[in-house]
Amino acid sequence: MPRFNRGLVVLASALSVAALTLTACSEPTAESEVVTESGQTFDLSPEQSTRVHADKVDEIAAKVPQAIRDSGVLTIAGTSGTAPPLRFYATDDTTVVGSEVDFGILVADILGLKPEITVADWAQNFVKIDSGENDVFISNVTVTEERKDKYDFATYRLDNLAFETQKDTDWVVNGRQDIAGKKIGVGSGTNQEQLLVEWNEANIADGLAPAEIAYYQNTSDYYLALSSGRIDGYVGPNPSAVYHAATSGDSKIIGTVSGAGDALQGEIAVTTKKDNGLIVAIQEAINHAIENGDYQKVIDRWGLKDEVVTESVVNPQGLPRKAG
């Protein structure tokens, strides 16, 4: 099967990362760097001079399907970059950087392939995996039982969600009852949305008021809604909430939960087309990085200590299927 001619795809950022540096809790040491009150440093530069790299491992690289080996390229799909520290635009508003990019490049290094970072909206990335235009989707993708019908997964991070709200609120989220009657922002088509819907259904069954769900596509939009009080809170990936709360100075995290809710611990994984022969090489590359310490370096670089896994697993139990 011929491979596509694929180049680097970048889109204009809806949110200038440089603007984030101006609102950090402490003064950045340079225009392209943010240092939080806790001492965590985030490199926002396009150069990414401290990015973690690895040597090729021949025995793992040999397990990559022949067509991809012949191309010498690993194309890495991901969403448009407005959600530090996971995937976002650097200070040039063009180069996509972040932890998800770093994990992809680390895997490509171990497989002896040149990484090509592409950008599309959430749904379109799955289409690109379906068509073979992209080899892997690495952009905070949660393993679900429904997605396992079409895709293979190799885990590399825990899926933890955070509820974020204005700093002066006394609202706390310990469970589903605490969202009753609130207006909560969420990204459409995400497992965060599925969690809110399920919590609403359970609350209604218990006679509680449902939360009003407000949908947003861009990070800048939901944070503007949060700061202006048009929503009570937002639920999204814990790393992005931690970053925003630490750098904005006007929000805080009021509760965290597994991406699977109370059912199980959700997991984030590299996503490939099902049965295309690539996932074992991906899993072994991740486990190699875990064993030699390169994985931990990426974790530390982006402040992801709460999302660490000790082993990459292929196709673990995912979020349950939607009812109906």
Side-chain angles (χ1 to χ4, degrees), residues 3 46 52 73 132 147 163 213 231 242-243 278 282 292 307-308 318:
R3 286 169 62 80
V52 181
V73 172
R147 288 173 183 163
F163 286 83
I213 302 176
I231 57 176
V242 169
Y243 178 92
L278 181 57
I282 298 290
N292 73 8
E307 276 72 39
V308 172

Side-chain angles (χ1 to χ4, degrees), residues 86 140 159-164 184-187 190-193 195-196 222-223 233-242 253 255-259 307:
L86 298 177
N140 203 58
D159 177 25
N160 293 319
L161 307 180
F163 286 83
E164 187 178 359
I184 303 174
V186 72
T190 62
N191 68 300
Q192 296 97 278
E193 177 195 7
L195 177 71
L196 288 181
Y222 62 69
Y223 281 138
Y234 182 82
V235 60
N238 182 62
S240 296
V242 169
I253 294 171
T256 58
V257 64
S258 162
E307 276 72 39

Side-chain angles (χ1 to χ4, degrees), residues 66-83:
Q66 189 66 50
I68 299 177
R69 275 189 282 157
D70 290 345
S71 76
V73 172
L74 186 73
T75 55
I76 303 169
T79 56
S80 55
T82 57

Side-chain angles (χ1 to χ4, degrees), residues 203-219:
N203 281 349
I204 291 170
D206 287 345
L208 299 174
E212 180 182 351
I213 302 176
Y215 294 98
Y216 297 93
Q217 292 297 328
N218 298 314
T219 311

Side-chain angles (χ1 to χ4, degrees), residues 145-296:
E145 290 301 302
E146 188 173 11
R147 288 173 183 163
K148 281 163 61 178
D149 292 341
K150 293 182 63 176
Y151 308 101
D152 285 323
F153 296 94
T155 58
Y156 66 95
R157 203 162 46 75
L158 297 181
D159 177 25
N160 293 319
L161 307 180
F163 286 83
E164 187 178 359
T165 189
Q166 292 177 326
K167 201 166 189 176
D168 59 356
T169 185
D170 58 0
W171 177 33
V172 176
V173 176
N174 293 315
R176 62 176 173 83
Q177 296 86 350
D178 298 313
I179 72 167
K182 299 290 188 179
K183 185 174 183 179
I184 303 174
V186 72
S188 178
T190 62
N191 68 300
Q192 296 97 278
E193 177 195 7
Q194 183 177 340
L195 177 71
L196 288 181
V197 170
E198 291 173 353
W199 278 14
N200 262 352
E201 291 172 351
N203 281 349
I204 291 170
D206 287 345
L208 299 174
E212 180 182 351
I213 302 176
Y215 294 98
Y216 297 93
Q217 292 297 328
N218 298 314
T219 311
S220 54
D221 294 337
Y222 62 69
Y223 281 138
L224 179 61
L226 183 62
S227 64
S228 65
R230 287 186 282 117
I231 57 176
D232 295 306
Y234 182 82
V235 60
N238 182 62
S240 296
V242 169
Y243 178 92
H244 182 257
T247 57
S248 71
D250 60 9
S251 70
K252 65 180 180 180
I253 294 171
I254 57 170
T256 58
V257 64
S258 162
D262 297 330
L264 74 158
Q265 174 60 59
E267 294 191 77
I268 302 297
V270 177
T271 307
T272 70
K273 189 174 183 178
K274 195 164 191 66
D275 298 327
N276 71 350
L278 181 57
I279 202 64
V280 170
I282 298 290
Q283 178 208 24
E284 292 191 11
I286 296 169
N287 281 330
H288 175 78
I290 291 173
E291 291 166 6
N292 73 8
D294 287 338
Y295 169 86
Q296 188 63 47

